[in-house]
C-alpha cells in the first residue's frame, strides 16, 4: 500500500503557457499533500502544503499566484505552473500523508518540467 | 526553524561492506526521522524511519540509530549491494498528528562498487 502517482512524468512546454501536474494517492486517503521542487543534484525544497478542502500553505519565497495548488479530494492534488518560464524548469515531486494518525510521507515518482 | 546537516555528501564502498550516513538536527523538539532513497529520475522512496521514543530500529540490512541528546541520527546499511547505489536523504520533523513538514538533509550519493 501507500502508492502515489503523478501525471505527467515528463512535460515540455513553451514559455508563457500553463502546465498542470496531478498527484494521486492510489490506495489510501491523503489528508495532506505536499509539493516539492528539486534541482539537479540538490535536495528537495518544499513549495507548499495542501490539505483537502483548504487553501494551500506556501513556503516563503514561493509565488502562490504562479504555482496554483488545488486539493479537491482526499486522493487528488494538482499543481498548475502558470505563465511558465525557462527558470521554472525543474523536477516537481509530490508526497502524501495517509491521515492525521500518522505523518509518514509517501512520494510520487516526480514530473520533469522543461520550459522552452 | 529546523536545520538538518548530512554527511558525507558522497560515499563509495565495496560490495559487501557497510555504509554509514550521519545527520544532525537543530530543533530538539523534532521527533520523527525518516530516511529516503532516491534513484536517478525517480521520486524518493521511504526505506526506514524512527521516532524519538526509540533509539534504534532495524529492517533486514538497514538500521537507523538516534541519539536525542546529541541530536543526531545515522543510517547503517550492511552487506551493501550494487542496487543500493542511489542518493539517500535524511529528514526531520515535529509530528503533531499529521501533515507535518519535513526538513531534508542535503543528500548522500552512495556508490557500491563491484
Amino acid at each position: 500500500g501507500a502508492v502515489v502517482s503523478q501525471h505527467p512524468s515528463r512535460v515540455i512546454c513553451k514559455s508563457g503557457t500553463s502546465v498542470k501536474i496531478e498527484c494521486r494517492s492510489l490506495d489510501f486517503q491523503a489528508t495532506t499533500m505536499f509539493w516539492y521542487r528539486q534541482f539537479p543534484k540538490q535536495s528537495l525544497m518544499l513549495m507548499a502544503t495542501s490539505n483537502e478542502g483548504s487553501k494551500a500553505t506556501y513556503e516563503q519565497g514561493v509565488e502562490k499566484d504562479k504555482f496554483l495548488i488545488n486539493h479537491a479530494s482526499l486522493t487528488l492534488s494538482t499543481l498548475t505552473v502558470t505563465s511558465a518560464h525557462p527558470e521554472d524548469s525543474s523536477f516537481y515531486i509530490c508526497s502524501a500523508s495517509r491521515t492525521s494518525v500518522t505523518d509518514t510521507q509517501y512520494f510520487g515518482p516526480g514530473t520533469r518540467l522543461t520550459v522552452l | 526553524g529546523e536545520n538538518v546537516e548530512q554527511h558525507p555528501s558522497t560515499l563509495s564502498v565495496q560490495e559487501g561492506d557497510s555504509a554509514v550516513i550521519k545527520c544532525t538536527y537543530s530543533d530538539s523538539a523534532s521527533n520523527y526521522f525518516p530516511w529516503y532513497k532516491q534513484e536517478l529520475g525517480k521520486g524518493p522512496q521511504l526505506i526506514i524511519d524512527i521516532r524519538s521514543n526509540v533509539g534504534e530500529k532495524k529492517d533486514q540490512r538497514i538500521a537507523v540509530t538516534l541519539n536525542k541528546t546529541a541530536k543526531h541520527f545515522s543510517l547503517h546499511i550492511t552487506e551493501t549491494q550494487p542496487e543500493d547505489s542511489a542518493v539517500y536523504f535524511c529528514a526531520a520533523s515535529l509530528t503533531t498528528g499529521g501533515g507535518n513538514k519535513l526538513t531534508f538533509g542535503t543528500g548522500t550519493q552512495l556508490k557500491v562498487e563491484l
Side-chain angles (χ1 to χ4, degrees):
Chain A
V3 179
V4 178
S5 70
Q6 275 184 246
H7 178 81
S9 58
R10 291 176 177 271
V11 57
I12 301 173
C13 69
K14 295 181 179 180
S15 289
T17 61
S18 294
V19 175
K20 179 183 284 188
I21 302 170
E22 291 186 350
C23 176
R24 294 181 184 272
S25 55
L26 298 185
D27 53 1
F28 66 99
Q29 293 186 325
T31 305
T32 306
M33 288 184 170
F34 303 83
W35 286 96
Y36 294 83
R37 185 173 180 176
Q38 187 178 35
F39 291 105
K41 297 187 177 182
Q42 293 191 21
S43 189
L44 288 80
M45 182 189 79
L46 179 65
M47 300 175 65
T49 303
S50 75
N51 290 289
E52 183 264 339
S54 303
K55 289 184 178 180
T57 302
Y58 290 81
E59 294 299 299
Q60 190 173 9
V62 178
E63 299 177 57
K64 59 180 65 178
D65 293 332
K66 180 167 186 61
F67 299 100
L68 301 179
I69 291 172
N70 182 273
H71 193 159
S73 73
L74 286 172
T75 59
L76 173 64
S77 177
T78 60
L79 167 68
T80 301
V81 182
T82 62
S83 187
H85 292 284
E87 56 265 31
D88 298 325
S89 298
S90 190
F91 194 49
Y92 292 88
I93 315 173
C94 71
S95 71
S97 292
R98 287 179 183 270
T99 67
S100 61
V101 174
T102 175
D103 53 12
T104 300
Q105 289 187 32
Y106 299 95
F107 283 81
T111 297
R112 173 72 60 192
L113 170 63
T114 302
V115 184
L116 303 176
Chain B
E2 176 67 280
N3 181 52
V4 177
E5 295 189 356
Q6 183 172 346
H7 299 282
S9 57
T10 61
L11 178 60
S12 185
V13 299
Q14 293 293 314
E15 182 180 10
D17 288 348
S18 296
V20 180
I21 302 171
K22 299 181 179 181
C23 289
T24 60
Y25 60 99
S26 60
D27 189 347
S28 58
S30 290
N31 58 4
Y32 175 62
F33 309 92
W35 285 89
Y36 289 89
K37 174 184 180 182
Q38 186 178 28
E39 297 178 344
L40 189 62
K42 298 183 179 179
Q45 176 188 7
L46 179 69
I47 56 172
I48 196 167
D49 56 10
I50 191 168
R51 299 184 187 273
S52 59
N53 57 343
V54 298
E56 184 174 358
K57 184 176 178 181
K58 189 174 181 180
D59 182 4
Q60 299 184 341
R61 297 187 296 109
I62 296 173
V64 56
T65 58
L66 171 65
N67 183 325
K68 288 189 294 182
T69 303
K71 289 188 286 187
H72 66 70
F73 56 112
S74 300
L75 177 71
H76 303 253
I77 305 174
T78 59
E79 301 174 27
T80 53
Q81 302 167 4
E83 51 265 40
D84 293 331
S85 297
V87 178
Y88 291 80
F89 290 98
C90 64
S93 79
L94 169 61
T95 173
T96 57
N100 300 290
K101 297 191 297 184
L102 291 173
T103 300
F104 282 88
T106 49
T108 296
Q109 175 74 63
L110 173 65
K111 183 177 181 181
V112 180
E113 298 177 332
L114 296 172

